[in-house]
Amino acid sequence: MEPILKNVVVRTATMADIDGLVASGSALFIEDGVARDRLRSSGWPQEHALEYEKGNLADPNALVLVAEHHGTVLGHLTGVFYAGSVMWTAPRAHLVSLNVLAPWRGQKVGAQLVEQFRTWAKDRGAVQLRVTAYVANEGAIRFYQRHGFAPLESTLAADL
């Protein structure tokens, strides 16, 4: 099926994209994290998102992608590569953050971001991709499963 939205460009983010990255990352934090985890601070993006995104852009083991359409950032993906180690027998890549702003969802933008992340990770030698998602975010889980991710572990929480 052809993407509905034409002329979407997925590319490595630069400092020139910082405002769009902060907007996309902050939207995800509020919509997903704050809405599903009572311990998330709704004020975090306002105070820390800019430095967080700058840190991601500067990290040599991170990939930060933006999807843009005519100069407007529609979404982002942040991933991190981890080399093999004494504990981990092979390299892997973790998809840390993926968001497509609500008006642009359902138009294959997320799929394009994930495919570019997959290529980057494979080119670096990763043998596995990982992602976490809130159990209540059924749409995200279905999206990731369509892209080859399968359940591996669960995080359980107990309020005190």
Side-chain angles (χ1 to χ4, degrees):
M1 178 180 225
E2 186 99 14
I4 299 167
L5 190 62
K6 307 282 186 202
N7 302 318
V8 172
V9 175
V10 173
R11 60 173 175 74
T12 302
T14 68
M15 278 301 295
D17 301 307
I18 197 71
D19 291 341
L21 280 171
V22 168
S24 183
S26 296
L28 176 64
F29 188 87
I30 298 298
E31 177 186 325
D32 196 32
V34 172
R36 293 184 170 90
D37 187 341
R38 69 180 184 81
L39 300 182
R40 295 288 182 152
S41 169
S42 62
W44 184 90
Q46 182 71 27
E47 296 179 31
H48 303 285
L50 179 62
E51 288 307 312
Y52 175 78
E53 297 300 351
K54 285 180 179 178
N56 288 334
L57 288 171
D59 184 344
N61 288 311
L63 172 69
V64 182
L65 299 172
V66 291
E68 70 171 345
H69 183 253
H70 299 300
T72 300
V73 173
L74 311 178
H76 80 284
L77 181 149
T78 302
V80 178
F81 176 81
Y82 297 97
S85 67
V86 174
M87 178 187 275
W88 293 90
T89 62
R92 68 210 183 281
H94 189 96
L95 195 164
V96 176
S97 178
L98 170 64
N99 189 45
V100 176
L101 298 176
W104 309 105
R105 292 181 187 155
Q107 301 187 55
K108 310 267 187 230
V109 176
Q112 292 177 58
L113 288 161
V114 169
E115 282 312 306
Q116 195 156 328
F117 169 64
R118 182 183 305 277
T119 299
W120 172 83
K122 210 172 187 182
D123 289 350
R124 293 193 71 164
V127 299
Q128 186 180 66
L129 301 178
R130 291 179 173 229
V131 65
T132 59
Y134 286 103
V135 172
N137 192 342
E138 295 172 356
I141 292 168
R142 283 191 308 272
F143 172 84
Y144 291 126
Q145 288 176 330
R146 282 194 309 270
H147 292 278
F149 292 86
L152 177 65
E153 62 185 329
S154 295
T155 300
L156 306 176
D159 288 337
L160 301 176

